[in-house]
Amino acid sequence: MPDLSVAIVAGLHADARRATVAQLLHDVPGSVVLHHDLATAAAGTVVRTVRDATGILDAGETPLVNDCACCALREDLVPELRRLAAAGQVRLAVVELWDSVEPKAMAEVITAGGLTVTAVITAVDPSLLLPYLGNGDDLAETGLAAAATDQRTVADTFARQLEYAPVLAVLDSPNADDEDRELLGQLHPTARQVPVGGADLPRNRSTQTGHDTPTNPALLLRGDRAIPAPPPRDDPANPARTPAQTPTPPTPNPPGARGTARPAPTDPHPAHNPNHPPPPRSPNPAPRSVLAHAALAGFDVEAAAAAQHPACALLPVEADAHGVSTLVWHRRRPFHPERLYAALEDITCAAARSRGRFWLADKPDSLLHWDAAGGALCVESAGPWLASLPDAAWELVPAVRRAAAALDWHPEHGDCCQHLVFTSPGLDRDGLELLLESCLLTDIEYAAGRSAWKRIPSAFDTLLEI
Protein backbone atom coordinates (compact mmCIF):
# COMPACT_ATOMS: atom_id res chain seq x y z
CA MET A 1 0.00 0.00 0.00
CA PRO A 2 1.51 3.37 -1.02
CA ASP A 3 2.42 5.82 1.71
CA LEU A 4 -0.31 8.21 2.73
CA SER A 5 0.15 11.06 5.17
CA VAL A 6 -2.83 11.74 7.43
CA ALA A 7 -3.33 15.09 9.15
CA ILE A 8 -6.12 15.51 11.69
CA VAL A 9 -7.76 18.94 11.98
CA ALA A 10 -9.98 19.39 15.04
CA GLY A 11 -11.71 22.16 16.92
CA LEU A 12 -15.01 23.59 18.10
CA HIS A 13 -14.18 26.87 16.32
CA ALA A 14 -15.74 25.92 12.99
CA ASP A 15 -14.66 29.01 11.01
CA ALA A 16 -11.05 28.48 12.07
CA ARG A 17 -11.23 24.76 11.31
CA ARG A 18 -12.65 25.30 7.84
CA ALA A 19 -10.12 28.01 7.02
CA THR A 20 -7.36 25.60 8.05
CA VAL A 21 -8.73 22.84 5.86
CA ALA A 22 -9.13 25.23 2.91
CA GLN A 23 -5.54 26.37 3.25
CA LEU A 24 -4.23 22.81 3.36
CA LEU A 25 -6.17 21.91 0.21
CA HIS A 26 -4.78 25.03 -1.44
CA ASP A 27 -1.18 24.55 -0.31
CA VAL A 28 -0.60 20.78 -0.50
CA PRO A 29 -0.86 19.39 -4.04
CA GLY A 30 -2.49 15.99 -4.05
CA SER A 31 -4.48 16.53 -0.87
CA VAL A 32 -8.07 15.60 -0.05
CA VAL A 33 -10.32 16.15 2.96
CA LEU A 34 -12.32 13.37 4.59
CA HIS A 35 -15.18 14.50 6.87
CA HIS A 36 -17.87 12.61 8.78
CA ASP A 37 -20.84 14.78 9.71
CA LEU A 38 -22.32 13.42 12.93
CA ALA A 39 -25.20 15.90 12.90
CA THR A 40 -27.23 13.44 10.78
CA ALA A 41 -27.00 10.64 13.34
CA ALA A 42 -30.55 11.29 14.54
CA ALA A 43 -31.69 9.89 11.19
CA GLY A 44 -29.60 6.76 11.77
CA THR A 45 -26.65 7.53 9.53
CA VAL A 46 -23.41 9.47 9.40
CA VAL A 47 -22.68 11.42 6.21
CA ARG A 48 -19.19 11.03 4.78
CA THR A 49 -17.67 13.34 2.17
CA VAL A 50 -14.32 13.29 0.41
CA ARG A 51 -13.32 16.43 -1.44
CA ASP A 52 -10.33 18.17 -2.93
CA ALA A 53 -9.74 21.82 -3.74
CA THR A 54 -12.16 21.70 -6.68
CA GLY A 55 -15.12 20.04 -5.05
CA ILE A 56 -16.65 16.81 -3.79
CA LEU A 57 -15.07 13.59 -5.06
CA ASP A 58 -17.24 11.16 -3.14
CA ALA A 59 -20.22 11.32 -0.80
CA GLY A 60 -22.09 8.63 1.03
CA GLU A 61 -23.67 7.47 4.22
CA THR A 62 -22.52 4.95 6.77
CA PRO A 63 -25.01 3.43 9.20
CA LEU A 64 -24.70 3.79 12.94
CA VAL A 65 -22.85 1.05 14.78
CA ASN A 66 -24.68 0.02 17.96
CA ASP A 67 -26.61 3.31 17.76
CA CYS A 68 -23.28 5.10 18.09
CA ALA A 69 -22.22 7.81 15.63
CA CYS A 70 -18.61 7.94 16.82
CA CYS A 71 -18.41 4.14 16.57
CA ALA A 72 -19.58 4.47 12.98
CA LEU A 73 -16.89 7.07 12.41
CA ARG A 74 -14.23 4.72 13.79
CA GLU A 75 -15.48 1.79 11.71
CA ASP A 76 -15.62 3.82 8.49
CA LEU A 77 -12.59 6.10 8.83
CA VAL A 78 -9.72 3.62 8.56
CA PRO A 79 -11.18 1.70 5.55
CA GLU A 80 -11.72 5.00 3.72
CA LEU A 81 -8.16 6.09 4.42
CA ARG A 82 -6.86 2.72 3.24
CA ARG A 83 -8.88 3.07 0.05
CA LEU A 84 -7.33 6.48 -0.59
CA ALA A 85 -3.86 5.09 0.09
CA ALA A 86 -4.40 2.12 -2.25
CA ALA A 87 -5.47 4.43 -5.07
CA GLY A 88 -2.02 6.00 -4.94
CA GLN A 89 -3.25 9.41 -6.07
CA VAL A 90 -3.44 11.22 -2.74
CA ARG A 91 -0.43 12.63 -0.95
CA LEU A 92 -2.16 14.04 2.15
CA ALA A 93 -5.51 13.01 3.62
CA VAL A 94 -6.87 15.71 5.91
CA VAL A 95 -9.32 14.27 8.43
CA GLU A 96 -11.59 17.15 9.42
CA LEU A 97 -13.25 16.09 12.66
CA TRP A 98 -16.81 17.03 13.49
CA ASP A 99 -17.15 19.85 16.03
CA SER A 100 -16.93 18.07 19.39
CA VAL A 101 -14.95 14.99 18.33
CA GLU A 102 -11.63 14.97 20.19
CA PRO A 103 -8.44 14.30 18.23
CA LYS A 104 -6.71 11.96 20.72
CA ALA A 105 -9.02 9.00 20.16
CA MET A 106 -9.04 9.46 16.39
CA ALA A 107 -5.24 9.70 16.18
CA GLU A 108 -4.96 6.45 18.11
CA VAL A 109 -7.59 4.72 15.94
CA ILE A 110 -5.84 5.76 12.71
CA THR A 111 -2.41 4.72 13.97
CA ALA A 112 -3.73 1.37 15.21
CA GLY A 113 -5.14 0.87 11.70
CA GLY A 114 -1.61 0.85 10.27
CA LEU A 115 -1.73 4.36 8.81
CA THR A 116 0.65 7.26 9.41
CA VAL A 117 -0.58 10.33 11.26
CA THR A 118 1.78 13.15 10.36
CA ALA A 119 0.02 15.95 12.26
CA VAL A 120 -2.71 16.77 14.71
CA ILE A 121 -3.83 20.38 14.34
CA THR A 122 -6.42 22.20 16.40
CA ALA A 123 -7.88 25.27 14.74
CA VAL A 124 -8.48 28.24 17.03
CA ASP A 125 -10.04 31.67 16.83
CA PRO A 126 -8.21 33.60 19.61
CA SER A 127 -11.19 35.91 20.15
CA LEU A 128 -13.30 32.91 21.17
CA LEU A 129 -10.88 31.41 23.69
CA LEU A 130 -12.35 32.92 26.83
CA PRO A 131 -16.04 32.48 25.85
CA TYR A 132 -15.44 28.79 25.21
CA LEU A 133 -13.21 28.16 28.24
CA GLY A 134 -15.76 29.93 30.41
CA ASN A 135 -18.70 27.95 29.02
CA GLY A 136 -19.57 25.22 31.51
CA ASP A 137 -22.76 24.17 29.71
CA ASP A 138 -23.16 20.59 28.62
CA LEU A 139 -22.56 19.91 24.93
CA ALA A 140 -26.08 18.51 24.77
CA GLU A 141 -27.51 21.92 25.66
CA THR A 142 -25.90 23.47 22.58
CA GLY A 143 -26.61 20.61 20.18
CA LEU A 144 -22.94 19.56 20.09
CA ALA A 145 -23.13 16.29 22.03
CA ALA A 146 -21.62 13.25 20.33
CA ALA A 147 -24.04 10.90 22.11
CA ALA A 148 -27.20 10.93 24.16
CA THR A 149 -25.04 9.97 27.15
CA ASP A 150 -22.34 12.57 26.43
CA GLN A 151 -21.64 14.36 29.73
CA ARG A 152 -18.86 16.62 28.47
CA THR A 153 -19.08 20.38 28.60
CA VAL A 154 -18.12 22.95 25.99
CA ALA A 155 -15.21 24.13 28.13
CA ASP A 156 -13.59 20.81 28.97
CA THR A 157 -13.98 19.52 25.40
CA PHE A 158 -12.41 22.62 23.94
CA ALA A 159 -9.55 22.52 26.48
CA ARG A 160 -8.66 18.94 25.55
CA GLN A 161 -8.83 19.69 21.83
CA LEU A 162 -6.51 22.64 22.36
CA GLU A 163 -3.96 20.99 24.64
CA TYR A 164 -3.55 17.68 22.81
CA ALA A 165 -2.46 19.17 19.50
CA PRO A 166 1.22 20.12 19.03
CA VAL A 167 0.17 22.51 16.24
CA LEU A 168 -2.41 25.28 16.58
CA ALA A 169 -3.82 26.84 13.42
CA VAL A 170 -4.63 30.35 14.60
CA LEU A 171 -7.28 32.25 12.68
CA ASP A 172 -6.38 35.80 11.72
CA SER A 173 -9.37 37.19 13.59
CA PRO A 174 -10.02 40.97 13.61
CA ASN A 175 -11.80 40.51 16.94
CA ALA A 176 -8.74 39.13 18.75
CA ASP A 177 -6.61 41.40 20.93
CA ASP A 178 -3.29 41.07 22.78
CA GLU A 179 -5.00 39.51 25.80
CA ASP A 180 -6.56 36.79 23.65
CA ARG A 181 -3.25 35.97 21.98
CA GLU A 182 -1.42 35.96 25.31
CA LEU A 183 -4.03 33.64 26.79
CA LEU A 184 -3.53 31.21 23.92
CA GLY A 185 0.24 31.28 24.37
CA GLN A 186 0.04 30.67 28.11
CA LEU A 187 -2.51 27.87 27.83
CA HIS A 188 -0.32 25.87 25.44
CA PRO A 189 3.20 27.34 25.48
CA THR A 190 4.82 24.37 23.71
CA ALA A 191 2.47 24.43 20.70
CA ARG A 192 3.61 25.59 17.31
CA GLN A 193 1.28 28.40 16.26
CA VAL A 194 0.61 28.76 12.54
CA PRO A 195 -1.52 31.64 11.18
CA VAL A 196 -4.41 30.85 8.82
CA GLY A 197 -7.09 32.89 7.10
CA GLY A 198 -5.12 35.22 4.84
CA ALA A 199 -6.72 37.43 2.24
CA ASP A 200 -6.13 34.84 -0.50
CA LEU A 201 -8.44 32.28 1.13
CA PRO A 202 -12.25 32.30 1.51
CA ARG A 203 -11.96 32.50 5.28
CA ASN A 204 -15.67 33.10 5.90
CA ARG A 205 -16.95 30.50 3.48
CA SER A 206 -17.44 26.89 4.43
CA THR A 207 -15.46 24.56 2.20
CA GLN A 208 -17.78 21.80 3.31
CA THR A 209 -21.13 23.21 2.27
CA GLY A 210 -20.41 26.32 0.27
CA HIS A 211 -22.53 28.45 2.61
CA ASP A 212 -21.32 31.60 4.27
CA THR A 213 -20.59 30.98 7.95
CA PRO A 214 -20.70 33.69 10.60
CA THR A 215 -17.65 34.82 12.54
CA ASN A 216 -19.60 36.55 15.30
CA PRO A 217 -18.10 35.46 18.66
CA ALA A 218 -21.65 35.27 20.05
CA LEU A 219 -22.38 32.29 17.79
CA LEU A 220 -21.37 28.66 17.87
CA LEU A 221 -21.28 26.71 14.62
CA ARG A 222 -22.92 23.32 14.23
CA GLY A 223 -22.59 21.75 10.82
CA ASP A 224 -23.53 24.58 8.47
CA ARG A 225 -25.91 26.30 10.90
CA ALA A 226 -25.23 29.01 13.46
CA ILE A 227 -26.70 28.71 16.94
CA PRO A 228 -26.45 31.18 19.80
CA ALA A 229 -23.48 30.52 22.07
CA PRO A 230 -24.38 29.75 25.68
CA PRO A 231 -23.64 32.63 28.05
CA PRO A 232 -20.16 32.79 29.60
CA ARG A 233 -19.53 31.51 33.11
CA ASP A 234 -19.94 34.89 34.78
CA ASP A 235 -23.30 35.54 33.13
CA PRO A 236 -26.07 35.42 35.77
CA ALA A 237 -28.09 33.28 33.39
CA ASN A 238 -25.42 30.59 33.48
CA PRO A 239 -24.21 29.97 37.05
CA ALA A 240 -20.99 27.99 37.39
CA ARG A 241 -21.32 24.31 38.05
CA THR A 242 -20.78 23.54 41.71
CA PRO A 243 -18.64 20.64 42.89
CA ALA A 244 -21.77 18.68 43.72
CA GLN A 245 -22.78 18.96 40.06
CA THR A 246 -19.38 18.03 38.68
CA PRO A 247 -19.72 15.23 36.11
CA THR A 248 -17.68 12.08 36.29
CA PRO A 249 -14.72 12.22 33.91
CA PRO A 250 -15.92 11.33 30.43
CA THR A 251 -14.30 8.67 28.33
CA PRO A 252 -12.41 10.19 25.40
CA ASN A 253 -14.68 10.86 22.47
CA PRO A 254 -18.01 9.42 23.76
CA PRO A 255 -20.01 7.70 21.02
CA GLY A 256 -23.13 8.74 19.25
CA ALA A 257 -24.60 11.99 17.99
CA ARG A 258 -27.79 13.99 17.81
CA GLY A 259 -28.81 16.76 15.45
CA THR A 260 -30.92 17.78 12.50
CA ALA A 261 -30.84 15.26 9.69
CA ARG A 262 -30.12 16.41 6.16
CA PRO A 263 -29.56 14.50 2.92
CA ALA A 264 -26.13 13.49 1.80
CA PRO A 265 -24.58 16.13 -0.46
CA THR A 266 -24.50 15.33 -4.14
CA ASP A 267 -21.56 15.95 -6.42
CA PRO A 268 -22.18 18.97 -8.67
CA HIS A 269 -19.14 18.00 -10.75
CA PRO A 270 -19.67 14.69 -12.60
CA ALA A 271 -15.99 14.58 -13.43
CA HIS A 272 -15.34 14.15 -9.71
CA ASN A 273 -17.57 11.09 -9.38
CA PRO A 274 -15.80 8.19 -7.63
CA ASN A 275 -16.22 6.23 -10.87
CA HIS A 276 -14.10 8.88 -12.61
CA PRO A 277 -11.07 9.38 -10.34
CA PRO A 278 -8.95 12.52 -10.64
CA PRO A 279 -5.88 12.45 -12.87
CA PRO A 280 -2.66 11.09 -11.35
CA ARG A 281 -0.76 13.54 -9.16
CA SER A 282 2.85 14.44 -9.73
CA PRO A 283 5.03 12.58 -7.17
CA ASN A 284 5.62 14.51 -3.96
CA PRO A 285 5.34 18.13 -5.13
CA ALA A 286 6.60 20.63 -2.57
CA PRO A 287 4.09 22.04 -0.09
CA ARG A 288 3.63 25.78 -0.26
CA SER A 289 3.15 27.10 3.28
CA VAL A 290 4.21 26.81 6.91
CA LEU A 291 0.92 25.08 7.64
CA ALA A 292 1.54 22.56 4.88
CA HIS A 293 4.98 21.75 6.26
CA ALA A 294 3.46 21.34 9.74
CA ALA A 295 0.84 18.95 8.34
CA LEU A 296 3.57 16.68 7.00
CA ALA A 297 6.13 17.04 9.80
CA GLY A 298 5.29 13.88 11.77
CA PHE A 299 3.39 12.99 14.92
CA ASP A 300 4.14 10.61 17.81
CA VAL A 301 0.92 9.17 19.27
CA GLU A 302 2.61 7.69 22.34
CA ALA A 303 4.45 10.91 23.15
CA ALA A 304 1.24 12.90 22.75
CA ALA A 305 -0.58 10.62 25.18
CA ALA A 306 2.26 10.89 27.71
CA ALA A 307 2.15 14.68 27.45
CA GLN A 308 -1.45 14.57 28.69
CA HIS A 309 -0.89 12.18 31.60
CA PRO A 310 -0.98 14.11 34.89
CA ALA A 311 2.23 12.47 36.12
CA CYS A 312 4.33 13.73 33.24
CA ALA A 313 2.21 16.36 31.47
CA LEU A 314 3.94 19.32 29.88
CA LEU A 315 2.10 21.90 31.97
CA PRO A 316 2.28 25.67 31.40
CA VAL A 317 4.97 27.69 33.17
CA GLU A 318 4.82 30.87 35.24
CA ALA A 319 3.81 33.89 33.16
CA ASP A 320 2.27 37.33 33.50
CA ALA A 321 1.66 39.59 30.51
CA HIS A 322 -1.12 41.57 28.81
CA GLY A 323 -3.43 41.04 31.77
CA VAL A 324 -3.10 37.23 31.66
CA SER A 325 -1.34 35.24 34.37
CA THR A 326 -0.29 31.65 34.92
CA LEU A 327 0.32 30.54 38.49
CA VAL A 328 2.32 27.35 39.03
CA TRP A 329 1.65 26.11 42.58
CA HIS A 330 3.97 23.38 43.82
CA ARG A 331 4.06 22.07 47.40
CA ARG A 332 5.37 18.98 49.23
CA ARG A 333 2.58 18.64 51.79
CA PRO A 334 -0.76 16.85 51.23
CA PHE A 335 -4.16 18.49 51.22
CA HIS A 336 -6.60 18.03 54.06
CA PRO A 337 -9.51 16.42 52.14
CA GLU A 338 -12.34 18.18 53.97
CA ARG A 339 -10.83 21.67 53.73
CA LEU A 340 -9.99 21.20 50.07
CA TYR A 341 -13.47 19.95 49.26
CA ALA A 342 -15.04 22.95 51.00
CA ALA A 343 -12.91 25.29 48.88
CA LEU A 344 -13.39 23.49 45.52
CA GLU A 345 -15.87 25.91 44.03
CA ASP A 346 -13.76 28.99 44.82
CA ILE A 347 -10.59 27.33 43.54
CA THR A 348 -12.22 25.99 40.38
CA CYS A 349 -13.79 29.33 39.46
CA ALA A 350 -10.63 31.34 40.21
CA ALA A 351 -9.18 30.66 36.75
CA ALA A 352 -10.40 30.04 33.23
CA ARG A 353 -8.33 26.88 33.14
CA SER A 354 -6.55 24.81 35.77
CA ARG A 355 -4.99 21.36 35.71
CA GLY A 356 -2.30 19.20 37.21
CA ARG A 357 -1.84 16.55 39.88
CA PHE A 358 -2.56 16.66 43.58
CA TRP A 359 -2.09 14.70 46.80
CA LEU A 360 -4.72 13.98 49.47
CA ALA A 361 -3.71 13.06 53.02
CA ASP A 362 -6.33 10.30 53.37
CA LYS A 363 -5.16 8.71 50.08
CA PRO A 364 -1.40 9.25 50.33
CA ASP A 365 -0.53 6.58 47.74
CA SER A 366 -2.86 7.84 44.99
CA LEU A 367 -1.88 10.32 42.29
CA LEU A 368 -5.00 12.40 41.60
CA HIS A 369 -5.73 14.34 38.44
CA TRP A 370 -7.16 17.88 38.56
CA ASP A 371 -8.87 19.09 35.37
CA ALA A 372 -11.04 22.23 35.51
CA ALA A 373 -12.56 24.54 32.90
CA GLY A 374 -15.76 26.54 32.68
CA GLY A 375 -16.33 26.39 36.42
CA ALA A 376 -16.56 22.57 36.33
CA LEU A 377 -14.00 20.25 37.88
CA CYS A 378 -13.19 16.65 36.98
CA VAL A 379 -11.19 14.68 39.54
CA GLU A 380 -9.94 11.15 38.88
CA SER A 381 -7.31 8.74 40.11
CA ALA A 382 -4.32 8.34 37.81
CA GLY A 383 -2.90 5.34 39.64
CA PRO A 384 -0.24 5.20 42.33
CA TRP A 385 2.61 7.59 42.93
CA LEU A 386 5.88 5.91 41.96
CA ALA A 387 7.08 6.36 45.54
CA SER A 388 4.39 3.92 46.68
CA LEU A 389 5.45 1.14 44.29
CA PRO A 390 7.95 -1.59 45.08
CA ASP A 391 11.23 -1.35 43.21
CA ALA A 392 10.38 -4.37 41.05
CA ALA A 393 7.30 -2.61 39.67
CA TRP A 394 9.28 0.30 38.29
CA GLU A 395 10.27 -1.70 35.23
CA LEU A 396 6.61 -1.84 34.28
CA VAL A 397 6.31 1.97 34.30
CA PRO A 398 6.94 3.85 31.02
CA ALA A 399 10.36 5.48 30.81
CA VAL A 400 8.86 8.94 30.37
CA ARG A 401 7.01 8.55 33.66
CA ARG A 402 10.18 7.49 35.49
CA ALA A 403 12.09 10.40 33.98
CA ALA A 404 9.43 12.91 35.02
CA ALA A 405 9.46 11.56 38.58
CA ALA A 406 13.25 11.71 38.76
CA LEU A 407 13.22 15.39 37.86
CA ASP A 408 10.88 16.13 40.77
CA TRP A 409 12.01 13.57 43.35
CA HIS A 410 11.99 14.43 47.06
CA PRO A 411 14.13 12.40 49.50
CA GLU A 412 11.21 11.90 51.89
CA HIS A 413 8.10 11.83 49.70
CA GLY A 414 9.46 10.83 46.30
CA ASP A 415 7.19 12.12 43.55
CA CYS A 416 4.22 12.82 45.87
CA CYS A 417 3.37 16.51 45.62
CA GLN A 418 0.93 19.23 44.66
CA HIS A 419 1.53 20.55 41.16
CA LEU A 420 -1.39 22.68 39.97
CA VAL A 421 -1.36 25.30 37.23
CA PHE A 422 -3.93 28.10 36.91
CA THR A 423 -4.23 30.32 33.83
CA SER A 424 -6.64 33.24 33.42
CA PRO A 425 -7.00 36.91 32.63
CA GLY A 426 -7.25 38.93 35.84
CA LEU A 427 -6.00 36.07 38.01
CA ASP A 428 -5.87 36.92 41.72
CA ARG A 429 -2.57 35.17 42.32
CA ASP A 430 -2.14 36.18 45.97
CA GLY A 431 -5.70 35.32 46.94
CA LEU A 432 -5.55 31.97 45.17
CA GLU A 433 -2.26 31.03 46.81
CA LEU A 434 -3.63 31.88 50.25
CA LEU A 435 -6.71 29.76 49.60
CA LEU A 436 -4.64 26.79 48.43
CA GLU A 437 -2.26 27.08 51.37
CA SER A 438 -5.19 27.01 53.79
CA CYS A 439 -6.19 23.59 52.43
CA LEU A 440 -2.85 21.91 53.23
CA LEU A 441 -2.23 19.94 56.41
CA THR A 442 -1.16 22.11 59.32
CA ASP A 443 2.22 21.53 60.97
CA ILE A 444 0.60 19.46 63.73
CA GLU A 445 -1.46 17.40 61.25
CA TYR A 446 1.56 16.84 59.04
CA ALA A 447 3.76 15.74 61.95
CA ALA A 448 1.24 13.07 62.94
CA GLY A 449 2.37 10.96 59.96
CA ARG A 450 0.71 8.82 57.32
CA SER A 451 -1.11 6.47 59.64
CA ALA A 452 -2.92 9.45 61.16
CA TRP A 453 -3.55 11.02 57.75
CA LYS A 454 -5.42 7.93 56.59
CA ARG A 455 -7.87 8.33 59.46
CA ILE A 456 -8.94 11.80 58.30
CA PRO A 457 -12.54 11.58 56.99
CA SER A 458 -12.71 11.26 53.22
CA ALA A 459 -14.50 13.95 51.25
CA PHE A 460 -13.68 12.93 47.68
CA ASP A 461 -15.12 9.41 47.54
CA THR A 462 -18.16 10.59 45.56
CA LEU A 463 -16.07 12.47 43.00
CA LEU A 464 -13.67 9.53 42.69
CA GLU A 465 -16.56 7.03 42.47
CA ILE A 466 -15.26 5.04 45.44
Side-chain angles (χ1 to χ4, degrees):
M1 185 169 63
D3 289 338
L4 173 70
S5 296
V6 180
I8 296 172
V9 178
L12 279 167
H13 297 171
D15 270 357
R17 192 182 69 239
R18 290 165 181 163
T20 301
V21 169
Q23 185 163 322
L24 285 172
L25 286 177
H26 178 269
D27 291 346
V28 182
S31 62
V32 300
V33 174
L34 177 62
H35 177 68
H36 289 80
D37 189 344
L38 307 190
T40 60
T45 60
V46 172
V47 174
R48 178 213 321 120
T49 55
V50 180
R51 67 187 190 278
D52 65 6
T54 64
I56 294 176
L57 304 175
D58 187 17
E61 295 181 342
T62 183
L64 297 191
V65 176
N66 299 323
D67 293 324
C68 165
C70 274
C71 293
L73 190 162
R74 291 185 180 95
E75 292 291 326
D76 190 66
L77 180 58
V78 169
E80 279 299 307
L81 290 172
R82 285 178 174 165
R83 181 183 65 80
L84 292 172
Q89 297 172 326
V90 175
R91 180 187 184 190
L92 174 68
V94 180
V95 176
E96 181 190 356
L97 298 181
W98 188 73
D99 297 326
S100 66
V101 177
E102 296 182 26
K104 181 178 184 293
M106 291 301 105
E108 292 170 352
V109 165
I110 294 169
T111 301
L115 295 148
T116 302
V117 176
T118 55
V120 172
I121 302 167
T122 294
V124 182
D125 181 341
S127 70
L128 299 180
L129 276 175
L130 200 54
Y132 276 64
L133 279 176
N135 190 336
D137 285 350
D138 293 334
L139 291 173
E141 296 176 24
T142 58
L144 294 170
T149 58
D150 194 342
Q151 295 182 348
R152 295 175 299 160
T153 69
V154 172
D156 63 41
T157 302
F158 174 66
R160 284 190 294 271
Q161 289 178 337
L162 179 75
E163 293 156 3
Y164 179 75
V167 178
L168 301 179
V170 184
L171 187 66
D172 181 18
S173 172
N175 298 314
D177 57 19
D178 289 342
E179 181 181 283
D180 297 325
R181 297 182 184 92
E182 181 65 27
L183 178 59
L184 180 60
Q186 291 190 27
L187 286 169
H188 197 349
T190 63
R192 180 181 185 184
Q193 293 191 24
V194 179
V196 296
D200 58 329
L201 289 172
R203 183 172 53 123
N204 296 328
R205 183 168 291 276
S206 167
T207 58
Q208 176 184 340
T209 64
H211 298 296
D212 287 329
T213 54
T215 56
N216 187 335
L219 297 176
L220 290 173
L221 293 171
R222 179 176 70 210
D224 62 348
R225 298 189 295 120
I227 61 174
R233 185 185 63 205
D234 55 358
D235 189 314
N238 181 30
R241 189 189 304 270
T242 63
Q245 297 170 304
T246 302
T248 55
T251 55
N253 235 6
R258 295 186 298 173
T260 303
R262 60 180 181 222
T266 56
D267 186 357
H269 307 289
H272 297 145
N273 188 282
N275 296 322
H276 298 84
R281 314 286 186 180
S282 58
N284 296 328
R288 298 181 295 199
S289 71
V290 174
L291 180 64
H293 281 287
L296 297 166
F299 180 77
D300 187 330
V301 171
E302 291 185 1
Q308 300 305 306
H309 191 283
C312 45
L314 298 176
L315 297 174
V317 297
E318 284 275 349
D320 190 0
H322 299 293
V324 181
S325 294
T326 294
L327 169 67
V328 178
W329 191 75
H330 190 277
R331 295 294 185 272
R332 290 290 183 179
R333 183 173 294 196
F335 280 124
H336 189 288
E338 291 179 315
R339 290 199 293 272
L340 177 62
Y341 189 85
L344 278 183
E345 185 171 358
D346 290 337
I347 296 172
T348 300
C349 294
R353 177 72 171 134
S354 58
R355 54 194 174 118
R357 56 190 182 271
F358 69 105
W359 185 25
L360 285 178
D362 64 312
K363 298 174 175 59
D365 297 327
S366 298
L367 189 161
L368 301 175
H369 183 202
W370 178 288
D371 187 19
L377 171 67
C378 287
V379 172
E380 62 181 342
S381 174
W385 298 100
L386 291 193
S388 67
L389 295 177
D391 292 345
W394 280 50
E395 294 301 320
L396 303 177
V397 176
V400 65
R401 171 81 186 275
R402 298 197 302 269
L407 290 172
D408 196 29
W409 196 260
H410 186 273
E412 182 180 0
H413 301 302
D415 57 335
C416 302
C417 68
Q418 318 291 357
H419 188 170
L420 299 175
V421 177
F422 301 83
T423 299
S424 188
L427 186 68
D428 180 5
R429 299 170 64 96
D430 293 340
L432 180 55
E433 284 195 272
L434 286 173
L435 181 58
L436 291 166
E437 297 285 348
S438 72
C439 298
L440 295 174
L441 293 185
T442 64
D443 290 345
I444 294 175
E445 292 166 339
Y446 179 75
R450 288 192 171 219
S451 60
W453 302 350
K454 291 180 179 180
R455 293 195 296 270
I456 298 174
S458 295
F460 280 77
D461 287 356
T462 301
L463 291 181
L464 294 171
E465 297 185 320
I466 295 175

